[in-house]
């Protein structure tokens, strides 16, 4: 039996992803509009993170499990790759992204959130 992934406690996950969509999107918009030339890679990655969060929010709301799993995989890979790259080569990231240092600027929530999302989807299968 398949159960909805955006109901019950899943609503909290949807709310957090919605909040992160707004936070990452607003951050990226301000950075790109005002200072894109200073750190184009970092600001583009923040915009990409916002898009991933928007896709996740919508996928969870609509119960699109496959899309949510794909987006969660992209998010986790992004956090791990960008987090590591930002620590190994800080010069490549003159300003932080949402995923820099594994989400340190967001209290490491970007590192924990995809794990929670994957756990939730696994439990709701």
């Amino acid at each position: 039996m398949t159960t909805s992934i955006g109901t019950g406690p899943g609503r909290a996950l949807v709310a957090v992803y919605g909040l992160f969509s707004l936070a990452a999107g607003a951050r990226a918009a301000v950075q790109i509009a005002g200072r894109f030339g200073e750190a184009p890679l970092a600001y583009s990655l923040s915009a990409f993170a916002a898009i991933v969060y928007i896709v996740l929010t919508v996928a969870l709301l609509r119960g699109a499990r496959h899309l949510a799993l794909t987006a969660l995989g992209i998010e986790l890979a992004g956090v791990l790759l960008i987090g590591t790259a930002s620590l190994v080569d800080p010069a490549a990231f003159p300003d932080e992204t949402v995923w820099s240092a594994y989400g340190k600027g967001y209290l490491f929530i970007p590192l924990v959130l995809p794990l929670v999302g994957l756990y939730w989807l696994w439990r709701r299968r």
Side-chain angles (χ1 to χ4, degrees):
M1 178 176 156
T2 302
T3 56
S4 180
I5 57 178
T7 60
R11 289 183 189 193
L13 194 59
V14 170
V16 172
Y17 273 114
L19 180 63
F20 266 74
S21 298
L22 292 172
R27 177 183 187 151
V30 169
Q31 290 171 327
I32 289 170
R35 306 181 320 221
F36 187 72
E38 294 176 20
L41 176 62
Y43 301 155
S44 296
L45 289 169
S46 286
F48 178 73
I51 291 166
V52 171
Y53 292 141
I54 290 166
V55 168
L56 271 163
T57 303
V58 172
L60 290 169
L61 277 171
R62 294 191 175 180
R65 179 179 305 280
H66 188 271
L67 179 59
L69 284 170
T70 301
L72 284 165
I74 291 168
E75 178 191 11
L76 183 58
V79 171
L80 294 174
L81 292 172
I82 301 310
T84 301
S86 67
L87 295 175
V88 170
D89 187 10
F93 297 89
D95 201 355
E96 291 186 355
T97 73
V98 175
W99 294 337
S100 291
Y102 308 109
K104 180 181 176 183
Y106 287 87
L107 305 173
F108 298 102
I109 294 170
L111 179 61
V112 175
L113 199 53
L115 299 173
V116 171
L118 288 168
Y119 175 77
W120 176 252
L121 288 178
W122 178 73
R123 295 276 299 160
R124 303 302 287 183
R125 60 187 162 108

